[in-house]
Amino acid sequence: MTDERPESAEDRPENRPEDRPEGPGTASGEDLAAESAEPSAPAPLGVVRTPTGHADVDAHLERLADADRLAADGHVEVYEDVHRGLREALTALDAPTVPGPYENRS
């Protein structure tokens, strides 16, 4: 058994402020903060959507792909739309089936 602790990210030389190189071709913390303030373009998350076998549910899950092309503030509308559709699909499963006019014979 050793008394050594695993090296954390802060212990690595490239992450210590005093060990970071400064000069041409290197970005200072201020430069990085300015660059990260710029919003980046929407990028797909690459989440795999496995078909469920229920066409209505699968259509709603595919709608989630629309969020990949939108900025983050547009995601809420897509998520709410998908949530509403999935909730309706689940509610329909609980609805009693109405017998046809001739199915109630005694």
Side-chain angles (χ1 to χ4, degrees):
M1 182 168 201
T2 65
D3 290 334
E4 294 180 25
R5 63 180 178 88
E7 182 179 43
S8 69
E10 292 130 3
D11 294 335
R12 294 188 194 121
E14 65 271 13
N15 293 330
R16 289 189 293 233
E18 64 275 6
D19 292 336
R20 288 189 199 130
E22 293 288 335
T26 62
S28 69
E30 293 172 6
D31 293 338
L32 291 175
E35 289 175 16
S36 64
E38 300 280 332
S40 61
L45 296 175
V47 176
V48 177
R49 293 169 195 84
T50 306
T52 64
H54 299 278
D56 192 32
V57 172
D58 290 340
H60 291 299
L61 293 178
E62 282 303 313
R63 169 96 165 88
L64 289 172
D66 292 345
D68 286 345
R69 296 185 297 274
L70 300 172
D73 60 350
H75 291 188
V76 173
E77 182 181 344
V78 172
Y79 295 154
E80 286 178 349
D81 183 44
V82 171
H83 182 256
R84 183 174 26 262
L86 292 174
R87 188 176 56 232
E88 289 170 2
L90 285 172
T91 301
L93 292 174
D94 291 335
T97 57
V98 178
Y102 300 106
E103 293 178 12
N104 229 359
R105 296 185 212 169
S106 314

